């Protein structure tokens, strides 16, 4: 594979090597371990589906007109051992220097008890988004701790359960404030020049697409704020300066605007919190709370605001409710804000969070407690004070006047250049702050010897020998120091020994159902195996400890990995170029639409702003279109769930002059390979539009067909689905986009790092390559599988879905089917025929069988959308089918009146151990029926920790921090 492949635009036609023989020496056949069914299971499964061979099945599922004629041109499959050695060689080409660059990214110490038991633990990283709250209580508690950490440190009323990165969080804050305060007379967001440059860039990208104006300056007090709906400030700012923002906030509020503060979370253990300075929104990153740098991600951003804004806040919010027995229980609250409900009226397209990283940050706070966090912050601050004092004594000009961990030294430009070069030669990265300043940002990992190394670097500039002083005067005025307590809840005081911390982590893990326990058959979510060999490199320091803004030549290993991965993804999709910057599927949608928008603008057709979207589309689709400055026009679906081609033609013709794009999911959201996909693309192209393909269902395409070959112009890929990056309980994700050649020039740029894009759209994410440290997972997966293995995985994903559909069709009708009565990689089971039992009852009852429910009531209310993936064995598929068949028998008993319509196993599900073992049992069915409805549960039983949760109560009484729990205990 060429190592000179463009990092933002790999040419699929020239980069991939010709396929080599698919052999794995030594019998190490990873493909057989990734794919669940054994070869000996294949005949029986095909027989259930009515076929004699896999080829015959696939021939009837995938339309012949779009099937690939030749295998994918990808490297040959290799063994785990050989690939780990190869990847270690790539990693060794990354040079891990001491980076004092700051800008929202800091090296930190990951407590080993958290690294081993959360970060590297499949019990935490293979969980799904906590939509089924009864089997997600552990993760929800950890996220509630995260929300409490954020609200306490920022001094705000409420915080969400994390966002993608600091820059995205700032952009989300701007959007929210515009919804609350903006309008025709207030179209401007004022952004301080001292906000981190990547944040400024992402905010500008978001604002311009929405038709908003960005104005920058040094102080909002120097500007006319009459047309400003919000002001964005950094605290401490990007130069390190810590200033009291109280007066500024008062000026902005008097002018009718809102105040957004991007704040360093660790500094708030020492500095006056923004909430006490009257901020309206506070955003930032929790990265330095024990989350590796990872060359830029993934990291958990935070978003905190006033209580009055909570129903407008983007992202997920964890709240305290109660279960059927009135006991406290946690759940996602105020979910009417989710995009699947609000669609084009949504104010955000964010549908994922950074759950795994937010959990790590919350555990870091639990482990250290408030006193430990104060000590860590105070130690960093003291080193910064001593360094600044030593440099001042040498006659150097050091600023700012008040700081937490970041200082800058003013030098002549030539001397500054020489200093930075001399530092890098010594393995130290310093930041250039303009032509005549050098910035130094200290972090938790710094010790005395590190600071002495910095002093020695500056000795030439200082004109002589000078040493660190033992102490240095405080530069933060008393009025700017924190005086209020934080993290007073007992959870932050109980677990400071490793023994107690280990037990707390394990206790929470035991309350969550993950892939370590059973299949998670969620349609459109692809919860497949995340192999240990794929996950292993994520913790390597060569990948984990690089600063995202380190000089490019220090990341040669990453550069090669990016180039190879881009070229392989380009080959898998048929596109000319790939951008890895979008760090979630929703961000991929947004980026792809902005690329289309830019293409029209560059061709003098900026008036093209209509986006056609089928009514069956993912909810993020219309939300992304609106965020990209487009107007949504729905397209009907027919009775079979396919795009109504006649209606598409009519809508495309009606909006021919202004048509920008069509968004289409393939296979369809209904789980079918639509025969008309090429005609659909042609209709849009004939009217001057572009076709955006949502890649959520690529697990049914890889190796069999390609989006570009069907006529798509853009497609995003959920690497956290099809390409094995784990869901992490609801994040991290990665959503890179592939584009056709005519769109390649418009892929995202970055303001700090040259990514190779020169004409592209503005930055989408804070880091130039999104969340790079998890990309080795997909690199390993593709190399372990090879072209033949990837194709076989897709075939088995389709087989497994059809096997389930055929086994269950007489109990739960399959709602949509393609040719020959077949589905793609997922199927929709129809439960609407039942009068008394609801789809929610079935979802909760599945918990008693040890299963996570499939996707509930989407895309059709009253249905279950099932996607088994290729990684589940025939035994597991049968266990799941047997559970649903058993539940069908219970439904029949309820519907026929043989058992009570209210007091029955379905309506009372799930059944926690505390209910089953209680002294009193007043139900007309046995405890065994409640807890052990299947024989296999005697061997291993997962117990939900709470009963059915009262969702209505939780929405009416949102309590979203730990302090609220006390009222229930």
């Amino acid at each position: 594979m060429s190592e000179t492949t463009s990092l933002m635009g790999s040419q699929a036609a020239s980069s991939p090597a010709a396929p080599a023989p698919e052999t794995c020496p030594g019998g190490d056949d990873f493909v057989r371990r990734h794919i669940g069914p054994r070869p000996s299971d294949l005949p029986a499964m095909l027989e259930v589906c009515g076929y004699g061979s896999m080829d015959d099945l696939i021939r009837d599922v995938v339309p012949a007109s779009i099937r690939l004629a030749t295998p994918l041109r990808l490297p040959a499959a290799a063994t785990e051992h050989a690939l780990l050695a190869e990847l270690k060689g790539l990693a060794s080409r990354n040079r891990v220097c001491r980076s004092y660059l700051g800008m929202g990214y800091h090296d930190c110490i990951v407590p080993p008890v958290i690294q081993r038991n959360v970060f590297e633990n499949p019990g935490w990283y293979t969980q799904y988004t906590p939509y089924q709250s009864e089997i997600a209580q552990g993760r929800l508690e950890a996220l509630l701790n995260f929300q409490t950490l954020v609200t306490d440190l920022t001094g705000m009323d409420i915080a969400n359960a994390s966002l993608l990165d600091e820059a995205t969080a700032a952009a989300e804050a701007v959007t929210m404030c515009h919804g609350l305060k903006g309008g025709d007379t207030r179209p401007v967001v004022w952004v301080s020049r001292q906000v981190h440059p990547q944040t400024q860039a992402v905010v500008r990208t978001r604002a311009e697409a929405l038709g908003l104006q960005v104005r920058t300056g040094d102080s909002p007090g120097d500007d006319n704020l009459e047309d400003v709906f919000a002001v964005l400030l950094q605290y401490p700012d990007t130069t390190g300066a810590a200033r009291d923002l109280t007066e500024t906030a008062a000026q902005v509020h008097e002018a009718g605007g809102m105040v957004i503060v991007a704040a360093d979370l660790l500094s708030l253990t020492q500095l006056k919190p923004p909430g006490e300075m009257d901020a309206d929104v506070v955003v930032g990153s929790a990265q330095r709370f024990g989350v590796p740098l990872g060359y830029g991600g993934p990291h958990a951003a935070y978003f905190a605001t006033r209580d009055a804004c909570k129903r407008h806040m983007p992202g997920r919010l964890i709240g305290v409710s109660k279960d059927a027995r009135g006991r406290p229980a946690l759940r996602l609250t105020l979910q009417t804000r989710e995009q699947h409900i609000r669609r084009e009226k949504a104010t955000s397209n964010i549908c994922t969070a950074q759950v795994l990283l937010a959990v790590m940050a919350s555990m870091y706070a639990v482990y250290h407690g408030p006193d430990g966090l104060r000590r860590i912050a105070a130690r960093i601050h003291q080193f910064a004070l001593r360094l600044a004092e030593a440099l001042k004594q040498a006659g150097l000009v050091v600023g700012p006047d008040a700081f937490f961990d970041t200082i800058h030294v003013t030098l002549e430009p030539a001397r500054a250049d020489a200093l930075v070069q001399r530092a890098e030669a010594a393995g130290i990265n310093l930041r250039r702050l303009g032509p005549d300043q050098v910035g130094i940002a200290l972090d938790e990992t710094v010790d005395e010897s590190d600071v002495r190394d910095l002093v020695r670097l500056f000795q030439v500039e200082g004109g002589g020998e000078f040493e660190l002083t033992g102490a240095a005067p405080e530069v933060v005025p008393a009025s700017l120091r924190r005086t209020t307590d934080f993290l007073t809840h007992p959870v932050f005081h109980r677990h400071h020994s490793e023994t107690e911390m280990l037990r707390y982590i394990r206790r929470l893990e035991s309350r969550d159902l993950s892939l370590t326990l059973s299949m998670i058959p969620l349609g459109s979510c692809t919860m497949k195996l995340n192999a240990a060999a794929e996950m292993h490199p994520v913790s390597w320091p060569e990948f984990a400890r690089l600063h995202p803004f380190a000089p490019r030549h220090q990341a040669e290993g990453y550069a090669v990995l990016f180039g190879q991965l881009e070229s392989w993804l380009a080959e898998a999709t048929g596109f000319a170029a790939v951008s890895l910057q979008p760090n979630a599927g929703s961000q991929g949608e947004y980026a792809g639409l902005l690329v289309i928008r830019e293409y029209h603008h560059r061709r003098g057709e900026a008036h093209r702003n209509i986006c056609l979207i089928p009514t069956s589309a993912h909810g993020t689709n219309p939300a992304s279109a609106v965020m990209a400055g487009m107007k949504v026009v729905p397209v009907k679906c027919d009775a079979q769930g396919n795009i109504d081609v006649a209606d598409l033609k009519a809508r495309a013709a009606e909006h021919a002059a202004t048509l920008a794009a069509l968004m289409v999911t393939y296979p369809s959201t209904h789980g079918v390979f639509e025969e008309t996909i090429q005609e659909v693309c042609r209709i849009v192209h004939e009217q001057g539009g572009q076709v955006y393909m949502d890649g959520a269902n690529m697990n049914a395409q890889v190796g069999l067909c390609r989006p570009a070959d069907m006529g798509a112009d853009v497609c995003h890929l959920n690497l956290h689905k099809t390409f094995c990056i784990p869901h992490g309980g609801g994040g991290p994700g990665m959503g890179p986009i592939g584009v056709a050649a005519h769109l390649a020039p418009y892929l995202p740029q970055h303001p700090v790092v040259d990514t190779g894009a020169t004409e592209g759209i503005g930055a989408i994410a804070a880091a130039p390559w999104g969340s790079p440290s998890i990309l080795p997972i997909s690199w390993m997966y593709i190399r372990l599988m090879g072209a033949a293995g990837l194709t076989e995985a897709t075939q088995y994903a389709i087989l497994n879905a059809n096997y389930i559909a055929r086994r269950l069709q007489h109990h739960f009708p399959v709602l949509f089917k393609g040719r020959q009565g077949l589905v793609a990689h997922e199927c929709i089971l129809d439960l609407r025929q039942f009068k008394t039992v609801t789809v929610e009852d079935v979802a909760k009852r599945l918990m008693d069988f040890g299963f996570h429910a499939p996707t509930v009531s989407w895309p059709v209310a009253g249905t279950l959308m099932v996607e088994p993936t290729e990684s589940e064995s025939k035994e597991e598929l049968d266990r799941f089918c047997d559970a649903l068949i058993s539940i069908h028998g219970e439904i029949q008993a309820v519907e026929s009146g043989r058992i009570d319509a209210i007091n029955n196993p379905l309506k009372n599900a799930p059944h926690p151990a505390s209910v089953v073992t209680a002294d009193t049992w007043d139900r007309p069915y046995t405890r065994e029926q409640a807890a052990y409805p299947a024989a296999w549960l005697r061997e291993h039983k997962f117990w939900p920790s709470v009963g059915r949760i009262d969702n209505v109560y939780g929405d009416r009484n949102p309590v979203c921090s730990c302090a609220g729990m006390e009222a229930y205990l």
Side-chain angles (χ1 to χ4, degrees), residues 161 194 251 683 772:
Q194 304 311 320
Q251 293 172 339
I683 290 168

Side-chain angles (χ1 to χ4, degrees), residues 324-477:
R325 298 166 296 154
R327 298 190 178 188
L330 304 174
R331 61 182 288 273
L332 291 175
T333 191
L334 302 180
Q335 289 191 75
T336 54
R337 296 169 299 119
E338 290 282 353
Q339 288 72 31
H340 286 296
I341 297 170
R342 300 193 65 186
R343 300 179 72 82
E344 70 272 10
K345 296 180 181 178
T347 55
S348 166
N349 75 336
I350 295 294
C351 74
T352 54
Q354 296 283 29
V355 173
L356 182 67
L357 301 316
V359 168
M360 289 181 66
S362 76
M363 292 297 185
Y364 181 92
V366 167
Y367 191 41
H368 288 295
D371 291 339
L373 294 179
R374 286 190 189 96
R375 285 194 298 271
I376 291 168
R379 181 175 175 274
I380 296 170
H381 182 53
Q382 280 298 315
F383 274 132
L385 289 173
R386 293 171 61 196
L387 175 61
E389 184 65 16
L391 299 182
K392 287 177 183 176
Q393 290 179 4
L396 295 171
V397 178
V398 180
D401 294 336
F403 55 84
F404 167 60
D405 62 2
T406 300
I407 63 173
H408 53 78
V409 179
T410 301
L411 299 168
E412 295 174 0
R415 295 175 65 192
D417 287 339
L419 174 67
V420 170
Q421 292 173 10
R422 191 165 66 249
E424 189 185 350
I428 294 171
N429 291 325
L430 302 177
R431 180 185 175 193
R432 289 301 302 272
L433 276 166
D436 60 350
Q437 287 187 340
V438 176
I440 312 167
L442 303 187
D443 59 53
E444 178 189 8
T445 67
V446 168
D447 60 20
E448 189 91 9
S449 65
D450 292 315
V451 183
R452 291 189 181 279
D453 287 342
L454 288 168
V455 168
R456 281 191 288 272
L457 270 178
F458 280 91
Q459 281 180 343
V460 174
E461 307 304 331
E465 296 288 329
F466 55 94
E467 280 291 336
L468 279 176
T469 57
E474 179 59 77
V475 296
V476 178

Side-chain angles (χ1 to χ4, degrees), residues 880-928:
F880 175 72
C881 290
D882 290 345
L884 277 176
I885 292 170
S886 177
I887 288 172
H888 182 266
E890 295 177 345
I891 294 173
Q892 295 291 80
V894 173
E895 297 282 311
S896 66
R898 295 199 307 274
I899 61 176
D900 189 84
I902 301 300
N903 193 2
N904 62 64
L906 290 153
K907 294 293 182 183
N908 291 329
H911 296 83
S914 57
V915 169
V916 176
T917 60
D919 292 338
T920 302
W921 182 261
D922 58 356
R923 303 181 181 186
Y925 53 95
T926 67
R927 297 175 193 257
E928 183 174 32

Side-chain angles (χ1 to χ4, degrees), residues 625-642:
V626 170
M627 284 178 52
M630 297 181 184
K631 295 180 180 179
V632 174
V633 173
V635 176
K636 296 176 183 177
C637 291
D638 62 22
Q640 288 73 46
N642 300 320

Side-chain angles (χ1 to χ4, degrees), residues 352 525-526 584-585 718-727 732-735:
T352 54
C525 288
T526 316
N718 290 316
L719 299 188
H720 50 290
K721 296 182 181 180
T722 303
F723 293 95
C724 284
I725 292 174
H727 281 61
M734 275 292 280

Side-chain angles (χ1 to χ4, degrees), residues 545-612:
R545 293 196 64 189
L546 261 68
H547 193 286
F549 304 145
R552 282 281 302 278
H553 56 261
Q554 292 178 11
E556 287 184 5
Y558 261 126
V560 175
L561 185 146
F562 295 156
Q564 292 179 344
L565 184 57
E566 286 173 356
S567 70
W568 301 341
L569 295 176
E571 171 66 7
T573 57
F575 287 115
V578 169
S579 169
L580 299 172
Q581 190 172 127
N583 53 358
S586 60
Q587 297 303 91
E589 292 178 16
Y590 175 55
L593 290 173
L594 287 183
V595 167
I596 290 173
R597 179 177 181 267
E598 185 69 13
Y599 167 74
H600 288 310
H601 280 226
R602 293 296 183 95
R603 299 175 75 235
E605 296 189 316
H607 58 278
R608 289 189 175 271
N609 66 344
I610 296 297
C611 187
L612 304 179

